[in-house]
């Protein structure tokens, strides 16, 4: 039997387990899927916006893998931290360990004032409305009139949409009560989504972009003058002989063109709530943040340097500046991998050094250690990208299987984990959490509502009789 531990129960971890189950080279495989949290699904549970029900339904296909009799879910087991198990000790229990730990840190802006009260990472905001237990139920103050979201990817669009969406529309989702109450009391009326480059270089998908225009009580505003700075916007077919723009970019530009057509009367600096809308979403381009401004010890706005295309695919500063008033700043400029103590790490890339998924120590493959997902390739691609990434890693593992199985693996790894002082939450515990969240939702007259804190999750997991 080939005994494998997969560290991380998000898409990359579950796709790794699935690839191990579907292969035929090693017919007898046992897979333990470990997670630091007592809940499975990773960013599908704690990163996908609550109003994206279709994407969240991916949990159903992940669930089918985790319920396979050859797979054991092992939650509440950290790896590499002070309260968990080290990679070296984990390697004693299994023939192979595949690390699928994602990229949990956010990229900083590295500008003055970034740490002021009222300035946060979008990661923290997403974790708050997604009920991540590391954030808990602490209130996220939304008494700002104006919010600036820095970044032009799907995460930026998600947080802007949640800020602009009415709380009543989120009542049918699993948003925890504290976050729902804060969103209901929110004073935010202007939301600025700002990027340092042009619209043709934005990273959002057209579906996400269009959702902004479908929000009841919100209006999207785009400055035609900013769009016109982008050569691709002015000439979407490009100069003769040039490559055509990607389809998603062409669609995005069409959406922006439609919004800009009615924006002539609503230029930057106008009054919020234009055209009768309760909230206004501004898409801004060619603005690079240089400072988060302060008043009375809190965020008061963001100073941006005006940029322009440099003719080589980048941007240059023009020497002009613009201050945008804001009492809330959310940075959404990307994720970054975090070093896992006991594993090699490339700080420049934020990944674990590897060759086709095999972990490299001092340039050589480390027997029995593998990576998949963002910690392997960096925070790129969509959820589905993790499937091919996992298959590559599993192919490497299977080529090594004959040598890996020559050494002993623990007969009962969970018993060893408990002997080391850990308290694993197995699948029955997760099902108990699900039932507790359904009960919480019923008590509030809603569907299932997430439990937002560690004590609540662990108490629910231990009550397997509910």
């Amino acid at each position: 039997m080939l005994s494998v531990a997969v560290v991380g129960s998000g898409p990359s971890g579950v796709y790794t387990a699935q690839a191990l189950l579907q292969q035929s080279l090693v017919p007898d495989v046992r897979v333990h899927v470990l997670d630091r949290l007592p809940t499975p699904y990773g960013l599908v549970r704690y990163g996908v916006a609550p109003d994206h029900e279709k994407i969240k339904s991916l949990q159903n296909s992940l669930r089918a893998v985790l319920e396979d009799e050859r797979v054991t879910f092992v939650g509440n087991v950290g790896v590499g931290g002070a309260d968990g198990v080290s990679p070296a000790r984990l390697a004693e229990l299994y023939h192979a360990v595949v690390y699928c730990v994602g990229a949990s840190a956010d990229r900083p802006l590295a500008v003055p004032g970034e740490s002021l009260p009222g300035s946060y990472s979008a990661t923290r905001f997403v974790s708050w409305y997604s009920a991540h237990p590391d954030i808990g139920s602490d209130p996220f103050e939304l008494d700002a009139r104006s919010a600036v979201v820095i970044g032009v990817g799907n995460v930026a669009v998600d947080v802007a949409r949640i800020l602009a969406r009415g709380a009543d529309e989120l009542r049918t989702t699993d948003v925890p009560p504290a976050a729902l109450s804060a969103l209901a009391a929110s004073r935010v009326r202007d939301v600025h989504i700002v990027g340092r480059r042009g619209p043709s270089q934005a990273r959002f998908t057209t579906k996400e972009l269009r959702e902004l225009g479908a929000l009841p009580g919100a209006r999207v505003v785009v400055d035609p003058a900013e769009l016109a700075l982008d050569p691709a916007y002015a000439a979407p077919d490009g100069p003769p002989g040039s490559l055509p723009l990607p389809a998603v970019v062409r669609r995005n530009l069409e959406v922006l063109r439609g919004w800009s057509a009615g924006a002539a009367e609503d230029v930057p600096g106008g009054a919020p709530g234009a055209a009768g809308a309760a909230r206004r979403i501004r898409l801004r381009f060619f603005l690079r943040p240089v400072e988060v401004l302060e008043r009375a010890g809190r965020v008061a706005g963001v100073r941006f340097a005006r940029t322009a295309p440099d003719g080589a695919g980048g941007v240059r500063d023009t020497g002009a500046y613009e201050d945008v008033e804001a009492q809330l700043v959310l940075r959404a400029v990307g994720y970054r991998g975090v070093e896992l103590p006991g594993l090699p790490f490339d700080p420049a890339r934020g990944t674990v050094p590897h060759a086709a998924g095999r972990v490299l120590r001092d340039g050589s493959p480390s027997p029995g250690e593998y990576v998949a997902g963002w910690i392997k390739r960096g925070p790129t691609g969509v959820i589905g990208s993790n499937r091919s990434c996992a298959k590559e890693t599993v192919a490497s593992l299977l080529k090594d299987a004959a040598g890996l199985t020559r050494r002993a693996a623990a007969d009962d790894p969970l018993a060893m984990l408990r002997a080391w002082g850990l308290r694993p939450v197995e699948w029955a515990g997760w099902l108990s959490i699900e039932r507790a969240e359904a009960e919480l939702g019923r008590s509030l007259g809603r569907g299932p509502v997430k439990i937002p804190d560690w004590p609540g999750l662990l108490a629910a997991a231990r009550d397997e009789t509910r």
Side-chain angles (χ1 to χ4, degrees):
M1 173 184 288
L2 175 65
S3 176
V4 181
V6 175
V7 181
S9 67
S12 63
V14 177
Y15 289 151
T16 297
Q18 184 179 51
L20 285 164
L21 300 182
Q22 292 177 341
Q23 55 81 32
S24 58
L25 294 175
V26 183
D28 195 6
V29 176
R30 177 182 67 187
V31 183
H32 284 186
V33 178
L34 281 61
D35 204 293
R36 182 179 68 88
L37 299 173
T39 58
Y41 309 136
L43 280 178
V44 177
R45 176 175 166 92
Y46 289 118
V48 174
D51 56 347
H52 276 176
E53 295 181 5
K54 184 175 181 180
I55 302 176
K56 290 181 76 68
S57 68
L58 176 63
Q59 292 182 16
N60 295 329
S61 60
L62 301 182
R63 183 190 196 101
V65 177
L66 293 174
E67 288 185 329
D68 188 285
E69 62 181 6
R70 295 165 290 177
V71 175
T72 301
F73 173 69
V74 187
N76 195 38
V77 172
V79 176
D83 298 327
V85 57
S86 70
R89 297 198 80 179
L90 194 62
E92 298 173 9
L93 305 181
Y94 301 92
H95 294 123
V97 181
V98 186
Y99 293 91
C100 307
V101 293
S104 59
D106 60 278
R107 292 183 180 274
L109 296 175
V111 300
E114 183 176 9
S115 60
L116 284 168
S119 173
Y120 307 94
S121 71
T123 304
R124 178 179 174 82
F125 187 63
V126 170
S127 294
W128 171 73
Y129 66 63
S130 298
H132 196 293
D134 286 349
I135 301 297
S137 56
D138 292 340
F140 205 105
E141 298 180 8
L142 297 177
D143 55 354
R145 298 182 307 279
S146 176
V148 168
V149 182
I150 300 174
V152 283
N154 281 346
V155 173
V157 173
D158 275 349
V159 300
R161 190 181 66 257
I162 295 298
L163 284 170
R165 188 181 281 284
D168 285 343
E169 302 165 53
L170 294 171
R171 204 170 301 278
T172 59
T173 72
D174 58 8
V175 171
L180 193 65
S181 296
L183 289 166
S186 170
R187 297 177 56 213
V188 175
R189 292 297 177 266
D190 261 336
V191 182
H192 306 257
I193 305 174
V194 188
R196 66 183 179 89
R197 299 194 292 180
S200 67
Q201 296 166 314
R203 296 296 185 90
F204 37 65
T205 57
T206 308
K207 180 180 181 296
E208 293 262 0
L209 187 62
R210 283 177 175 153
E211 286 177 347
L212 295 178
L215 293 175
R219 183 185 179 204
V220 180
V221 179
V222 187
D223 185 353
E226 289 184 350
L227 298 182
L229 291 173
D230 191 329
Y233 180 82
D237 293 329
S242 64
L243 294 174
L245 291 174
V248 63
V249 174
R250 295 174 67 90
R251 291 194 296 267
N252 286 347
L253 294 180
E254 285 303 312
V255 173
L256 295 170
R257 186 173 284 107
W259 286 334
S260 70
E265 76 285 2
D266 196 4
V267 296
R279 292 183 171 93
R280 184 171 56 182
I281 302 170
R282 292 189 176 279
L283 282 158
R284 305 293 310 278
F285 299 98
F286 294 111
L287 293 172
R288 181 177 65 84
V290 295
E291 183 179 1
V292 178
L293 303 175
E294 177 266 339
R295 183 184 302 123
R298 291 187 58 84
V299 166
V302 182
R303 177 160 295 159
F304 292 95
R306 168 64 69 182
T307 65
D310 64 3
V315 293
R316 58 176 177 81
D317 286 353
T318 65
Y321 294 87
E322 178 179 336
D323 291 353
V324 175
E325 178 195 356
Q327 298 78 41
L328 174 65
V329 174
L330 298 172
R331 64 176 182 270
V333 292
Y335 294 100
R336 186 170 181 80
V338 176
E339 182 175 5
L340 193 69
L343 279 185
F345 188 70
D346 181 347
R349 296 178 178 272
T351 58
V352 171
H354 72 94
R358 295 181 178 93
V359 171
L360 299 177
R361 292 184 180 272
D362 298 322
S364 299
S366 176
E369 292 186 314
Y370 304 86
V371 285
W374 280 2
I375 199 63
K376 169 187 173 184
R377 69 181 192 276
T380 60
V382 294
I383 289 176
S385 306
N386 292 296
R387 193 183 297 274
S388 58
C389 177
K391 286 182 177 179
E392 180 192 52
T393 294
V394 169
S396 294
L397 190 159
L398 293 173
K399 290 178 182 177
D400 303 339
L404 297 174
T405 53
R406 291 194 186 104
R407 64 181 182 85
D411 291 331
D412 189 351
L414 267 66
M416 294 298 297
L417 292 173
R418 294 188 183 97
W420 293 341
L422 300 172
R423 300 187 66 193
V425 170
E426 296 182 59
W427 193 251
W430 158 241
L431 295 179
S432 183
I433 292 172
E434 279 194 319
R435 290 190 290 271
E437 292 183 339
E439 291 173 11
L440 175 60
R442 281 193 294 271
S443 72
L444 299 170
R446 300 168 58 189
V449 171
K450 288 177 185 169
I451 297 171
D453 59 274
W454 276 98
L457 287 170
L458 293 177
R462 305 304 176 198
D463 186 9
E464 297 178 8
T465 61
R466 72 169 58 244

